[in-house]
Amino acid sequence: MNVPDIIIAVDGFSSTGKSTFAKMVAREFSFLYLDSGAMYRGVTLAAMEQGLIAPDGAIDEPSLREIIGTLDLHFRRDSGKTQLFLGERCIEDRIRTLEMSSHVSPVSAIPFVRNFVDDKLHAFSAGGRVIMDGRDIGTTVFPQAELKIFMTADENVRAQRRYDEMLSKGETPVFEDVLANLKERDYIDSHRETSPLSQAADAYVMDNTHMTLHEELVWILGLIQGKFGILEAPALSC
Ligand code: DC
């Protein structure tokens, strides 16, 4: 298993801004950012494209188990951006739709899917500094992480953020659908048998319901400097 020199694990509920926060920390402190949820979304997209998820959401698990080892899902880094590829195809946009969000939680609850993704995440986390966001990074994927953050926020505020993000991408979401999807994902993620979403005992909790990105950065700045000392103060660009 590859073990990074420093790993920061960022876990929490859906749409708490984990990836925005983790990307900002990666940029300010020169960490490699890895989005574990993207991997689960990638498996879900591949399963849908191969007809293994029925319109009613039923998953053909035996067939998915057969093909999962053949899926060439990998991150590529280009101009400071890390994007998910399936073979030669960049699938970043395809995996972020509401349709994908509504199927991903049941797929991510399947134990062999979790093993597949965990192996990929370890393989991509070579030495150096890595910040990874997800649901079980500090509890299962990297329980030895040097710093663990658990993010939470009011669910209406989270749904509004997600709704605004979809609008800005030219989608036409219905707020009630976005809120319902978020609640459903939180429930499935927290209640599945294999590595459910839970707060690690040694995690620092951030409730960002009323926080700006700048306040989040100031919050983590103290933690990172206190823990690692070696990191310089960033210019606080946001
Ligand atoms: O962070 P996200 O919304 O892109 O994650 C998509 C789904 O993947 C989410 O519903 C739960 C699952 N997931 C998980 O089970 N474990 C992780 N480490 C990351 C995501």
Side-chain angles (χ1 to χ4, degrees):
M1 186 209 294
N2 292 322
V3 181
D5 300 337
I6 296 177
I7 173 104
I8 300 179
V10 181
D11 291 305
F13 294 101
S14 293
S15 301
T16 42
K18 296 183 297 296
S19 65
T20 305
F21 171 73
K23 277 183 204 160
M24 172 177 71
V25 175
R27 198 175 53 239
E28 299 289 344
F29 295 96
S30 302
F31 276 64
L32 170 67
Y33 165 64
L34 291 178
D35 173 358
S36 66
M39 275 280 166
Y40 288 104
R41 289 170 180 269
V43 173
T44 307
L45 175 68
M48 289 198 73
E49 289 183 343
Q50 301 206 24
L52 305 182
I53 301 181
D56 68 356
I59 304 164
D60 178 351
E61 285 193 35
S63 302
L64 181 56
R65 184 196 289 274
E66 262 177 38
I67 61 125
I68 197 162
T70 67
L71 297 182
D72 180 17
L73 274 173
H74 57 274
F75 292 109
R76 282 189 198 172
R77 220 169 133 67
D78 188 21
S79 329
K81 246 179 143 184
T82 308
Q83 296 188 305
L84 188 67
F85 279 70
L86 180 58
E88 287 306 308
R89 188 161 52 113
C90 177
I91 55 171
E92 277 296 320
D93 288 340
R94 289 284 291 118
I95 60 175
R96 312 270 170 207
T97 60
L98 189 55
E99 185 193 19
M100 216 53 63
S101 297
S102 64
H103 290 295
V104 64
S105 280
V107 171
S108 72
I110 301 171
F112 67 78
V113 172
R114 301 205 70 80
N115 287 339
F116 170 81
V117 169
D118 285 0
D119 287 350
K120 294 268 179 205
L121 295 174
H122 285 134
F124 282 105
S125 304
R129 301 167 177 176
V130 174
I131 182 163
M132 187 182 293
D133 75 324
R135 305 295 189 287
D136 62 341
I137 309 307
T139 50
T140 304
V141 183
F142 285 113
Q144 77 280 28
E146 280 78 7
L147 180 57
K148 301 178 186 178
I149 314 290
F150 190 86
M151 290 177 67
T152 183
D154 175 86
E155 64 187 15
N156 280 297
V157 170
R158 290 191 277 136
Q160 187 66 48
R161 288 177 188 158
R162 183 85 188 101
Y163 174 84
D164 291 343
E165 186 188 342
M166 294 169 85
L167 272 188
S168 72
K169 285 183 183 164
E171 294 177 44
T172 47
V174 175
F175 180 80
E176 285 67 28
D177 292 347
V178 176
L179 180 62
N181 172 256
L182 185 138
K183 285 184 184 176
E184 190 188 359
R185 283 204 290 149
D186 282 351
Y187 184 85
I188 298 175
D189 295 345
S190 310
H191 290 83
R192 66 175 173 236
E193 266 181 41
T194 311
S195 17
L197 166 67
S198 69
Q199 186 187 318
D202 50 350
Y204 293 86
V205 179
M206 179 204 284
D207 181 337
N208 66 8
T209 305
H210 302 294
M211 285 172 87
T212 62
L213 265 184
H214 178 81
E215 287 166 339
E216 291 183 14
L217 189 56
V218 171
W219 183 88
I220 189 106
L221 178 64
L223 276 178
I224 286 186
Q225 288 186 329
K227 282 255 170 200
F228 308 123
I230 52 168
L231 300 174
E232 287 169 17
L236 295 180
S237 59
C238 63

